[in-house]
Amino acid sequence: MSRRTVIPFGPQHPVFPEPIQLRLVLEDEKVVEALPVVGYVHRGLEKLAEQKDFQQDVYLIERICGICSFMHAQNYCQGIESIMGITVPPRAQYLRLVWGELHRMHSHLLFLALLADSFGFENLFMQTLRCREDVLEVMEITAGNRIMLTTCCIGGVRKDIPADQLDAVHRTLQRVHGQLKELGSAFADNYTVSRRLKDVGVLSKEKALELGGVGPVAKASGLPMDLRATGYAAYRDLGFEPVVEKNGDCYDRMLVRLRELEQSMDLIHKGIRMMPEGPLAEAVKGNPNGEAAARIEQPRGELLFFIKGNGTKNLERFRARTPTFANLAPLMHMLPGCELADVPVIVVSIDPCISCTER
Amino acid sequence: MSLLPSTPVTADNLLHEVALLRQKGCRLVTLTCLDTGTAHEIIYHFDKGYEMNHLRLPLAYGQRLVSICSLYPAAMIVENEIKDHFGVAFDGLSVDFQGRLILSENAPKTPMNKRCGMEIDARMLPPVGAAAAVPVTTASGGAA
């Protein structure tokens, strides 16, 4: 009879850039049960957001996450704008799209690098991070910062991208495109990589829906679910089709992100070409009074903010449900039945962001 | 004030309404708990085809609520989080973290409520085994 062992996987583990613990129950080398233990980086940001001015909250909420920070700010601004009935100028919508997609690109490249690291392909890890540097450089050129752009404000954006910088974005993305071709084949066509990822951590379409999976986790399982299809910001002008795969394993979750990188580059090129001239922001008058459930497609999936204003400068309630929080339940379903050696790859395949999850 | 369009539900018909949404193929997005100052309010957010459905449930302070884990297993994590932050007790949780999902044992109790249970600054707590150097006060003002 096999012996049961409980292994605390994390909170400090080589594959985790942030602390989280998975309590794994093993029978020999096979996982039979998994439980998440969170709370190591809980900062109480929802409470703090209620104590700050709703305009200051843009900076605070942008700092929920250090990877998809711009999209947190964008979603919050969209929520407040819907409560206050503010119409964002078209140029600002396009600028939001460009910065948002750049954030998606650097986030997906970070994911690919960490995935390569998780299965021990150090050279691929370094080459992917080198490619990511080009994307970070574009953000520095256009916004002055590599990650915390702080360019989004309620009513629009606080900074324009002049024509010469837009040309620099085009040129850099062409270079990234060439690098991605080489990296893409190393990820998608390499025999060792595919053997390591295929049929590992499988999540069926039905389970993905039942457990509330979002983003690449849901799309890799065959659910065509991407909020960009609703046409927020400038997506309605550009046309958008979600990237979908069908096997629901680690390989398909990686493939979805590889294809989304190409899609993001297309969207940025198109967005820059179609970007109209005009003002950058609408004036904000008064205080928010009402409720909104604002949603946006982050690199990891659907982000929901529930915002309630009461007519004062302080919000009555701010609630964030981040994509990794939604993907915890699918992760706990993927782990039972797998080998202990597969756990790092499966965990990384959902691209967990613990700062987002715990706020 | 413009509120989200939502369906009012009670603790008695909650499971029935959630089961109807599940039959329609809705996905549970999350739950939001609010402290209105006189009671709690829980909003259940669902999605189907990018359209959201919201169920709004008023809940008196201290009133227990049935968990929807049996219909949506993923609700377990967010219900535990609400238990940590607001002190709402759920019956039928598939895993009960006993108020320790997000918060540590020295953290303030139910910090998201308008009136927190205990005003504790964990940094002021004495080392384990030492006598209390700083009196810890409860919400009612008495020393604990």
Side-chain angles (χ1 to χ4, degrees), chain A residues 197-208 216-223 244-256 330 333-334 346 349-350:
Chain A
L197 299 177
K198 278 188 177 171
D199 300 324
V200 174
V202 177
L203 181 72
S204 69
K205 187 176 179 178
E206 294 71 29
K207 274 289 170 193
V217 171
K219 284 181 265 191
S221 297
L223 287 175
V244 180
E245 295 291 338
K246 58 180 187 305
N247 294 325
D249 55 10
C250 290
Y251 183 82
D252 276 13
R253 287 192 277 278
M254 180 268 294
L255 217 54
V256 165
H333 176 77
M334 290 172 207
I346 295 173
S349 77
I350 73 155

Short mmCIF file of all heavy atoms in Angstrom, two decimals, chain A residues 197-208 216-223 244-256 330 333-334 346 349-350:
data_model
loop_
_atom_site.label_atom_id
_atom_site.label_comp_id
_atom_site.label_asym_id
_atom_site.label_seq_id
_atom_site.Cartn_x
_atom_site.Cartn_y
_atom_site.Cartn_z
N LEU A 197 5.60 19.29 -22.09
CA LEU A 197 4.39 20.08 -21.85
C LEU A 197 3.10 19.41 -22.34
O LEU A 197 2.03 19.70 -21.80
CB LEU A 197 4.51 21.45 -22.54
CG LEU A 197 5.67 22.35 -22.09
CD1 LEU A 197 5.69 23.63 -22.91
CD2 LEU A 197 5.55 22.69 -20.62
N LYS A 198 3.20 18.55 -23.34
CA LYS A 198 1.97 17.97 -23.90
C LYS A 198 1.34 16.96 -22.94
O LYS A 198 2.05 16.17 -22.32
CB LYS A 198 2.24 17.33 -25.25
CG LYS A 198 2.26 18.36 -26.38
CD LYS A 198 2.33 17.74 -27.75
CE LYS A 198 2.28 18.83 -28.80
NZ LYS A 198 2.55 18.35 -30.14
N ASP A 199 0.00 17.01 -22.87
CA ASP A 199 -0.78 16.10 -22.00
C ASP A 199 -0.43 16.23 -20.52
O ASP A 199 -0.65 15.31 -19.74
CB ASP A 199 -0.61 14.64 -22.45
CG ASP A 199 -1.07 14.44 -23.88
OD1 ASP A 199 -2.05 15.09 -24.26
OD2 ASP A 199 -0.43 13.67 -24.61
N VAL A 200 0.12 17.35 -20.14
CA VAL A 200 0.43 17.62 -18.72
C VAL A 200 -0.53 18.69 -18.21
O VAL A 200 -0.71 19.72 -18.87
CB VAL A 200 1.89 18.09 -18.56
CG1 VAL A 200 2.17 18.49 -17.11
CG2 VAL A 200 2.86 17.01 -19.00
N GLY A 201 -1.13 18.46 -17.07
CA GLY A 201 -2.03 19.45 -16.47
C GLY A 201 -3.24 19.75 -17.34
O GLY A 201 -3.58 20.91 -17.56
N VAL A 202 -3.93 18.70 -17.78
CA VAL A 202 -5.05 18.89 -18.72
C VAL A 202 -6.29 19.42 -18.00
O VAL A 202 -6.65 18.95 -16.92
CB VAL A 202 -5.37 17.56 -19.44
CG1 VAL A 202 -6.57 17.74 -20.37
CG2 VAL A 202 -4.16 17.08 -20.22
N LEU A 203 -6.92 20.42 -18.62
CA LEU A 203 -8.18 20.97 -18.10
C LEU A 203 -9.18 20.94 -19.25
O LEU A 203 -8.97 21.56 -20.30
CB LEU A 203 -7.98 22.42 -17.64
CG LEU A 203 -9.18 23.13 -17.05
CD1 LEU A 203 -9.52 22.59 -15.67
CD2 LEU A 203 -8.93 24.64 -16.94
N SER A 204 -10.28 20.20 -19.06
CA SER A 204 -11.27 20.08 -20.14
C SER A 204 -12.07 21.38 -20.27
O SER A 204 -12.11 22.20 -19.35
CB SER A 204 -12.21 18.91 -19.86
OG SER A 204 -13.03 19.23 -18.75
N LYS A 205 -12.74 21.52 -21.40
CA LYS A 205 -13.55 22.72 -21.66
C LYS A 205 -14.67 22.85 -20.61
O LYS A 205 -14.92 23.93 -20.07
CB LYS A 205 -14.17 22.58 -23.06
CG LYS A 205 -14.90 23.78 -23.56
CD LYS A 205 -15.36 23.52 -24.98
CE LYS A 205 -16.13 24.70 -25.53
NZ LYS A 205 -16.54 24.51 -26.93
N GLU A 206 -15.30 21.72 -20.29
CA GLU A 206 -16.42 21.74 -19.34
C GLU A 206 -15.93 22.16 -17.95
O GLU A 206 -16.56 22.96 -17.26
CB GLU A 206 -17.08 20.35 -19.24
CG GLU A 206 -17.78 19.88 -20.50
CD GLU A 206 -16.82 19.51 -21.63
OE1 GLU A 206 -15.69 19.10 -21.34
OE2 GLU A 206 -17.20 19.68 -22.81
N LYS A 207 -14.78 21.61 -17.56
CA LYS A 207 -14.24 21.95 -16.23
C LYS A 207 -13.77 23.41 -16.19
O LYS A 207 -13.91 24.08 -15.17
CB LYS A 207 -13.07 21.01 -15.88
CG LYS A 207 -13.53 19.71 -15.26
CD LYS A 207 -14.05 19.94 -13.84
CE LYS A 207 -14.72 18.71 -13.29
NZ LYS A 207 -15.50 19.00 -12.06
N ALA A 208 -13.21 23.87 -17.30
CA ALA A 208 -12.75 25.27 -17.34
C ALA A 208 -13.93 26.21 -17.10
O ALA A 208 -13.82 27.20 -16.38
CB ALA A 208 -12.09 25.57 -18.67
N PRO A 216 -5.82 32.80 -20.90
CA PRO A 216 -5.22 31.70 -21.65
C PRO A 216 -5.57 30.32 -21.08
O PRO A 216 -5.59 29.34 -21.83
CB PRO A 216 -3.72 31.99 -21.53
CG PRO A 216 -3.63 33.47 -21.40
CD PRO A 216 -4.82 33.87 -20.60
N VAL A 217 -5.85 30.23 -19.79
CA VAL A 217 -6.25 28.94 -19.20
C VAL A 217 -7.54 28.47 -19.85
O VAL A 217 -7.68 27.31 -20.26
CB VAL A 217 -6.41 29.06 -17.67
CG1 VAL A 217 -7.03 27.81 -17.08
CG2 VAL A 217 -5.05 29.33 -17.03
N ALA A 218 -8.53 29.37 -19.98
CA ALA A 218 -9.82 29.01 -20.59
C ALA A 218 -9.67 28.85 -22.10
O ALA A 218 -10.22 27.91 -22.69
CB ALA A 218 -10.85 30.09 -20.27
N LYS A 219 -8.90 29.75 -22.72
CA LYS A 219 -8.77 29.70 -24.18
C LYS A 219 -8.04 28.44 -24.65
O LYS A 219 -8.37 27.89 -25.69
CB LYS A 219 -8.03 30.96 -24.67
CG LYS A 219 -8.93 32.21 -24.65
CD LYS A 219 -8.21 33.44 -25.14
CE LYS A 219 -7.63 34.22 -23.99
NZ LYS A 219 -7.14 35.56 -24.37
N ALA A 220 -7.07 27.98 -23.84
CA ALA A 220 -6.35 26.76 -24.22
C ALA A 220 -7.26 25.53 -24.11
O ALA A 220 -7.00 24.50 -24.73
CB ALA A 220 -5.14 26.58 -23.30
N SER A 221 -8.34 25.65 -23.32
CA SER A 221 -9.28 24.54 -23.17
C SER A 221 -10.44 24.64 -24.16
O SER A 221 -11.42 23.91 -24.05
CB SER A 221 -9.84 24.50 -21.74
OG SER A 221 -8.80 24.26 -20.83
N GLY A 222 -10.36 25.58 -25.07
CA GLY A 222 -11.39 25.67 -26.12
C GLY A 222 -12.49 26.67 -25.87
O GLY A 222 -13.48 26.68 -26.61
N LEU A 223 -12.37 27.50 -24.84
CA LEU A 223 -13.41 28.50 -24.59
C LEU A 223 -13.00 29.82 -25.26
O LEU A 223 -12.02 30.44 -24.87
CB LEU A 223 -13.58 28.74 -23.08
CG LEU A 223 -14.27 27.65 -22.27
CD1 LEU A 223 -14.23 28.01 -20.79
CD2 LEU A 223 -15.71 27.46 -22.71
N VAL A 244 -7.75 30.62 -29.76
CA VAL A 244 -8.27 29.46 -29.02
C VAL A 244 -7.50 28.19 -29.42
O VAL A 244 -7.18 28.00 -30.59
CB VAL A 244 -9.79 29.26 -29.32
CG1 VAL A 244 -10.33 28.06 -28.58
CG2 VAL A 244 -10.57 30.49 -28.95
N GLU A 245 -7.19 27.37 -28.44
CA GLU A 245 -6.66 26.02 -28.69
C GLU A 245 -7.63 25.04 -28.05
O GLU A 245 -8.62 25.46 -27.45
CB GLU A 245 -5.26 25.88 -28.09
CG GLU A 245 -4.21 26.76 -28.73
CD GLU A 245 -3.86 26.36 -30.17
OE1 GLU A 245 -4.10 25.20 -30.52
OE2 GLU A 245 -3.37 27.21 -30.93
N LYS A 246 -7.37 23.73 -28.17
CA LYS A 246 -8.42 22.81 -27.71
C LYS A 246 -8.00 21.74 -26.71
O LYS A 246 -8.84 21.15 -26.06
CB LYS A 246 -9.09 22.14 -28.91
CG LYS A 246 -8.14 21.36 -29.81
CD LYS A 246 -8.92 20.73 -30.96
CE LYS A 246 -8.06 19.80 -31.78
NZ LYS A 246 -6.82 20.39 -32.32
N ASN A 247 -6.71 21.47 -26.56
CA ASN A 247 -6.32 20.33 -25.72
C ASN A 247 -6.30 20.63 -24.22
O ASN A 247 -6.35 19.73 -23.41
CB ASN A 247 -4.96 19.80 -26.15
CG ASN A 247 -5.02 19.20 -27.54
OD1 ASN A 247 -6.03 18.59 -27.92
ND2 ASN A 247 -3.98 19.41 -28.32
N GLY A 248 -6.16 21.91 -23.86
CA GLY A 248 -6.22 22.28 -22.45
C GLY A 248 -5.02 21.84 -21.62
O GLY A 248 -5.11 21.79 -20.39
N ASP A 249 -3.89 21.52 -22.26
CA ASP A 249 -2.70 21.13 -21.49
C ASP A 249 -1.70 22.29 -21.42
O ASP A 249 -1.95 23.37 -21.96
CB ASP A 249 -2.06 19.86 -22.09
CG ASP A 249 -1.74 20.04 -23.57
OD1 ASP A 249 -1.83 21.17 -24.06
OD2 ASP A 249 -1.39 19.05 -24.24
N CYS A 250 -0.57 22.02 -20.76
CA CYS A 250 0.43 23.09 -20.60
C CYS A 250 0.93 23.59 -21.95
O CYS A 250 1.20 24.78 -22.12
CB CYS A 250 1.61 22.57 -19.77
SG CYS A 250 1.20 22.28 -18.07
N TYR A 251 1.06 22.68 -22.90
CA TYR A 251 1.56 23.06 -24.22
C TYR A 251 0.60 24.06 -24.89
O TYR A 251 1.03 25.06 -25.45
CB TYR A 251 1.71 21.80 -25.08
CG TYR A 251 2.30 22.07 -26.45
CD1 TYR A 251 3.67 22.19 -26.62
CD2 TYR A 251 1.47 22.20 -27.56
CE1 TYR A 251 4.21 22.44 -27.87
CE2 TYR A 251 2.00 22.45 -28.82
CZ TYR A 251 3.37 22.57 -28.97
OH TYR A 251 3.89 22.84 -30.21
N ASP A 252 -0.69 23.78 -24.80
CA ASP A 252 -1.66 24.69 -25.44
C ASP A 252 -1.73 26.04 -24.73
O ASP A 252 -1.96 27.07 -25.37
CB ASP A 252 -3.05 24.03 -25.48
CG ASP A 252 -3.17 23.12 -26.69
OD1 ASP A 252 -2.12 22.83 -27.31
OD2 ASP A 252 -4.29 22.70 -27.02
N ARG A 253 -1.55 26.04 -23.42
CA ARG A 253 -1.54 27.32 -22.70
C ARG A 253 -0.33 28.16 -23.14
O ARG A 253 -0.41 29.37 -23.24
CB ARG A 253 -1.52 27.08 -21.18
CG ARG A 253 -2.87 26.58 -20.66
CD ARG A 253 -2.95 26.60 -19.15
NE ARG A 253 -2.34 25.43 -18.53
CZ ARG A 253 -2.94 24.25 -18.37
NH1 ARG A 253 -4.17 24.08 -18.80
NH2 ARG A 253 -2.32 23.25 -17.78
N MET A 254 0.78 27.48 -23.41
CA MET A 254 1.95 28.19 -23.92
C MET A 254 1.70 28.68 -25.35
O MET A 254 2.02 29.82 -25.70
CB MET A 254 3.15 27.23 -23.87
CG MET A 254 4.47 27.76 -24.36
SD MET A 254 4.74 27.41 -26.08
CE MET A 254 4.86 25.64 -26.11
N LEU A 255 1.05 27.81 -26.15
CA LEU A 255 0.78 28.16 -27.55
C LEU A 255 -0.15 29.36 -27.67
O LEU A 255 0.03 30.22 -28.53
CB LEU A 255 0.16 26.94 -28.24
CG LEU A 255 0.56 26.67 -29.68
CD1 LEU A 255 2.06 26.58 -29.83
CD2 LEU A 255 -0.09 25.38 -30.17
N VAL A 256 -1.16 29.42 -26.80
CA VAL A 256 -2.10 30.56 -26.82
C VAL A 256 -1.32 31.86 -26.62
O VAL A 256 -1.52 32.85 -27.32
CB VAL A 256 -3.18 30.40 -25.73
CG1 VAL A 256 -3.92 31.70 -25.47
CG2 VAL A 256 -4.18 29.32 -26.11
N PRO A 330 -9.23 26.20 -11.07
CA PRO A 330 -8.78 25.28 -12.13
C PRO A 330 -7.41 24.66 -11.84
O PRO A 330 -7.20 23.48 -12.11
CB PRO A 330 -8.70 26.19 -13.37
CG PRO A 330 -9.68 27.28 -13.12
CD PRO A 330 -9.64 27.50 -11.63
N HIS A 333 -7.63 21.75 -9.70
CA HIS A 333 -8.19 20.60 -10.42
C HIS A 333 -7.14 19.93 -11.30
O HIS A 333 -7.19 18.72 -11.51
CB HIS A 333 -9.38 21.07 -11.27
CG HIS A 333 -9.97 19.99 -12.11
ND1 HIS A 333 -10.79 19.01 -11.59
CD2 HIS A 333 -9.82 19.71 -13.43
CE1 HIS A 333 -11.14 18.18 -12.56
NE2 HIS A 333 -10.56 18.58 -13.69
N MET A 334 -6.19 20.74 -11.82
CA MET A 334 -5.18 20.18 -12.73
C MET A 334 -4.16 19.30 -11.98
O MET A 334 -3.62 18.37 -12.54
CB MET A 334 -4.37 21.32 -13.39
CG MET A 334 -5.10 22.15 -14.39
SD MET A 334 -3.99 23.53 -14.81
CE MET A 334 -5.15 24.77 -15.28
N ILE A 346 3.12 22.88 -14.30
CA ILE A 346 1.68 23.13 -14.31
C ILE A 346 1.37 24.46 -13.63
O ILE A 346 0.55 25.26 -14.12
CB ILE A 346 0.93 21.96 -13.61
CG1 ILE A 346 1.10 20.67 -14.41
CG2 ILE A 346 -0.56 22.28 -13.47
CD1 ILE A 346 0.55 19.45 -13.72
N SER A 349 2.27 27.27 -15.78
CA SER A 349 1.47 27.35 -17.00
C SER A 349 0.23 28.23 -16.84
O SER A 349 -0.34 28.68 -17.83
CB SER A 349 1.06 25.96 -17.49
OG SER A 349 -0.01 25.46 -16.72
N ILE A 350 -0.22 28.47 -15.60
CA ILE A 350 -1.36 29.41 -15.44
C ILE A 350 -0.84 30.84 -15.29
O ILE A 350 -1.61 31.77 -15.17
CB ILE A 350 -2.29 29.05 -14.26
CG1 ILE A 350 -1.65 29.36 -12.91
CG2 ILE A 350 -2.79 27.62 -14.33
CD1 ILE A 350 -2.66 29.59 -11.82
#
